[in-house]
């Protein structure tokens, strides 16, 4: 009996394509939420902890995005949208493009948050 061609799950493929934008959104949420909470709490430590947290969050998100860019086949296998040896060039290229755009967004957010004075908008 012939096996029909097994299509990858659509949810895995969508999550694979949106892995970069999801990381970018998580970074944006983490940076601005922590920034707002730390500024609302106040204190002299805000001028040191806010830039430090932004650097840590930006490095973590950029590292995760670089791993997703460098090893898209492994990520596709983990999300079960591609089997080992099953090359899906469009899926890989589209995922890499979205990852590069997300990396630019993460670096832009990190640099903008570091360039501005902490808690200036709350004064």
């Amino acid at each position: 009996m012939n096996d029909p061609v097994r299509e990858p799950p659509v949810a895995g493929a969508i999550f694979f394509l949106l892995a970069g934008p999801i990381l970018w959104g998580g970074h944006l949420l983490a940076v601005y939420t922590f920034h707002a909470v730390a500024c609302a709490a106040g204190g002299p430590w805000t001028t040191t902890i806010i830039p430090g947290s932004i650097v840590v969050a930006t490095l973590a998100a950029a590292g995760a995005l670089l791993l997703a860019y460098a090893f898209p086949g492994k990520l596709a296998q983990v999300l079960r949208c591609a089997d080992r040896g099953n090359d899906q060039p469009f899926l890989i290229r589209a995922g890499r493009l979205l990852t590069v755009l997300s990396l630019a967004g993460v670096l832009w957010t990190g640099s903008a948050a570091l360039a501005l004075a902490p808690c200036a908008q709350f004064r």
Side-chain angles (χ1 to χ4, degrees):
M1 193 166 172
N2 292 338
D3 290 332
V5 175
R6 189 180 74 80
E7 292 291 325
V10 175
I14 290 172
F15 191 69
F16 174 78
L17 289 174
L18 294 179
I22 288 170
L23 283 169
W24 177 20
H27 173 262
L28 194 69
L29 179 72
V31 166
Y32 286 113
T33 301
F34 183 76
H35 190 190
V37 169
C39 288
W45 51 273
T46 57
T47 58
T48 58
I49 196 151
I50 291 174
S53 67
I54 292 170
V55 167
V56 168
T58 301
L59 289 177
L65 287 167
L66 288 173
L67 282 175
Y69 181 83
F71 303 107
K74 297 290 184 188
L75 181 61
Q77 289 174 12
V78 168
L79 296 174
R80 296 185 179 153
C81 61
D83 294 328
R84 179 175 288 189
N86 183 8
D87 189 23
Q88 304 225 354
F90 174 76
L91 191 67
I92 299 294
R93 287 183 182 135
R96 278 187 165 172
L97 173 66
L98 289 170
T99 300
V100 168
L101 293 173
S102 299
L103 181 62
V106 163
L107 295 176
W108 185 265
T109 301
S111 65
L114 285 175
L116 301 174
C119 304
Q121 68 271 22
F122 294 113
R123 293 183 190 151

